[in-house]
Amino acid sequence: MALQKGKVMSEWMTPKRRFLSALFGGRVDRIPVGNPTSVATIELMEETGAFFPEVHLDAKKMAILAAAGHEILGFDTIMPYFSVQVEAPVLGCEINWGDKETMPDCITHPFKEAEDIVVPTEEELLKVHSIRAVVDAIRILREEYPRVAIIGKAMGPWTLAYHGYGVQNFLMDTLLNPERVRNSLEKLQEISVMFANLQVRAGADAICFPDHATGDLVSPEMYRDFLVPLHKRIVTRIGAPVILHVCGDTLNRAQYIAEEHFDCFHYDTKTDVAELKKILNKKVSLAGGINNPEVLLFGTPDDVKKQAHFAVKAGVEILAPECAIPLTTPNKNLRAIVEAAKEIQIGR
Ligand SMILES: [Zn+2]
């Protein structure tokens, strides 16, 4: 891919085509900008009048705040699930939905045994307020934005197990009771797949699939043994392209991620992107490239653009913040990702 700076190209793709084509490693008129994870900011809440915490449970407000990512920031995608806690009430966890300036948090972890996990029917799942809100928000967005890529999000079984058991308890189990871990993940995947497909039916073009088997806490061997066979099956069961999201430095498990057949990997900038690209090669597209805590939160639009150029040169197909952004991130830094994408000439 040859890059030239400066000249603004003409755009001939809709945001949805641009995003989906890049997701599958295909041709694009310019690099798309997406958000597999949340880009909600306090500035966007103030501009739209749709605020945390109401947006987590009110489909209309959720859709309005999510759409701001496209309308106000210019992203090619809209993604209406702002936290990681939407499925937690399904597991019986109590949630603190937070306030205007904080993300929701799971305050109880009811699981002791795999038998404690009850897989709901689709109807039961849809009765859970937080689940219903996301599915309805996607339906509203699909209706209003036929040309924009709508991304849904469903947590993977590893993340659901953190909610259900608590992070420490679940990680202890990986050493002390791997059988319980396996049985739990098997059951929890049903919730991941069911929620993902409810969002696909409501109109989602792709599903972000965060499974927080993060570098510092989970070894590459654990990732390979517990998750690779499971992820491979899950991908075939979801009726849309799937974007894996894992935070932290994931280079030591990239070879396993390459085997899972996800369409795209949403990576953290702690990972050496050139090395990551070498390992994933053309098997999995890359989304991300823009650092949250230093660049988006405290950097300047110029810092953002420099990182965007670097990421595309390294082979990133979709520019995106690396994870859910801090709520006080300035909008001008998020807009700079889109400005950079419009400047970057791609030689194909
Ligand atoms: Zn993340």
Side-chain angles (χ1 to χ4, degrees):
M1 202 188 283
L3 302 177
Q4 286 176 301
K5 281 189 195 176
K7 204 175 138 227
V8 176
M9 310 188 326
S10 66
E11 294 180 5
W12 49 267
M13 285 177 127
T14 62
K16 179 157 115 176
R17 285 172 63 204
R18 178 179 302 126
F19 175 79
L20 286 176
S21 184
L23 195 66
F24 289 127
R27 62 181 172 274
V28 285
D29 57 350
R30 67 157 169 84
I31 294 289
V33 180
N35 64 306
T37 49
S38 170
V39 284
T41 63
I42 290 176
E43 266 185 72
L44 288 179
M45 293 180 210
E46 279 162 358
E47 284 185 58
T48 58
F51 289 91
F52 278 24
E54 291 84 12
V55 290
H56 303 305
L57 297 169
D58 179 320
K60 263 192 199 141
K61 287 181 183 162
M62 184 187 284
I64 288 168
L65 183 58
H70 171 70
E71 293 280 1
I72 297 175
L73 303 178
F75 278 44
D76 293 297
T77 57
I78 299 176
M79 199 290 297
Y81 175 162
F82 306 113
S83 69
V84 296
Q85 305 293 358
V86 166
E87 298 95 329
V90 181
L91 312 175
C93 306
E94 266 179 63
I95 306 297
N96 173 2
W97 290 104
D99 55 35
K100 183 180 146 188
E101 286 164 24
T102 53
M103 282 285 184
D105 198 16
C106 187
I107 44 181
T108 60
H109 309 287
F111 296 168
K112 296 268 182 283
E113 297 292 338
E115 289 71 43
D116 298 336
I117 303 171
V118 181
V119 178
T121 63
E122 226 171 70
E123 271 175 1
E124 287 164 343
L125 191 61
L126 267 177
K127 279 191 192 133
V128 178
H129 196 161
S130 51
I131 295 277
R132 177 98 221 176
V134 169
V135 174
D136 286 348
I138 288 177
R139 199 168 288 118
I140 293 167
L141 289 163
R142 178 76 294 153
E143 191 62 31
E144 280 188 31
Y145 295 95
R147 298 167 62 257
V148 181
I150 311 286
I151 307 182
K153 191 162 71 170
M155 297 297 138
W158 196 270
T159 299
L160 295 180
Y162 281 170
H163 294 339
Y165 286 99
V167 175
Q168 288 311 321
N169 289 343
F170 184 67
L171 289 175
M172 289 290 279
D173 264 2
T174 60
L175 305 169
L176 303 176
N177 199 338
E179 212 35 48
R180 184 191 290 154
V181 169
R182 251 179 261 283
N183 292 339
S184 302
L185 295 173
E186 276 298 327
K187 287 173 94 174
L188 290 169
Q189 69 161 325
E190 298 302 326
I191 298 173
S192 307
V193 170
M194 208 185 286
F195 186 33
N197 281 332
L198 282 171
Q199 294 175 72
V200 174
R201 264 188 241 135
D205 296 302
I207 295 292
C208 176
F209 182 82
D211 220 6
H212 294 99
T214 305
D216 318 340
L217 302 171
V218 185
S219 73
E221 294 71 31
M222 278 163 64
Y223 190 93
R224 177 194 63 200
D225 297 342
F226 287 120
L227 285 177
V228 172
L230 201 57
H231 281 174
K232 275 177 153 172
R233 271 186 279 145
I234 289 171
V235 171
T236 65
R237 298 178 63 198
I238 295 176
V242 187
I243 305 162
L244 176 70
H245 170 89
V246 188
C247 317
D249 184 351
T250 47
L251 198 60
N252 63 8
R253 66 212 54 204
Q255 65 183 109
Y256 304 124
I257 291 172
E259 290 173 21
E260 294 179 318
H261 306 303
F262 286 104
D263 299 285
C264 184
F265 178 44
H266 185 215
Y267 76 101
D268 188 314
T269 58
K270 288 193 197 88
T271 311
D272 179 331
V273 64
E275 289 301 312
L276 184 63
K277 187 69 190 177
K278 259 190 232 160
I279 298 169
L280 300 184
N281 197 6
K282 290 190 190 311
K283 290 183 192 145
V284 190
S285 303
L286 280 177
I290 315 297
N291 167 280
N292 286 359
E294 281 132 44
V295 176
L296 282 173
L297 184 57
F298 292 119
T300 64
D302 263 355
D303 298 331
V304 173
K305 287 186 182 183
K306 267 185 210 135
Q307 255 203 333
H309 281 267
F310 174 81
V312 175
K313 230 179 236 170
V316 169
E317 280 91 350
I318 298 165
L319 285 171
E322 62 191 351
C323 193
I325 57 164
L327 297 173
T328 48
T329 302
N331 281 354
K332 65 175 194 294
N333 282 352
L334 293 162
R335 279 202 202 94
I337 312 176
V338 180
E339 287 159 21
K342 291 183 178 179
E343 286 168 13
I344 295 170
Q345 296 255 330
I346 46 171
R348 51 184 170 184

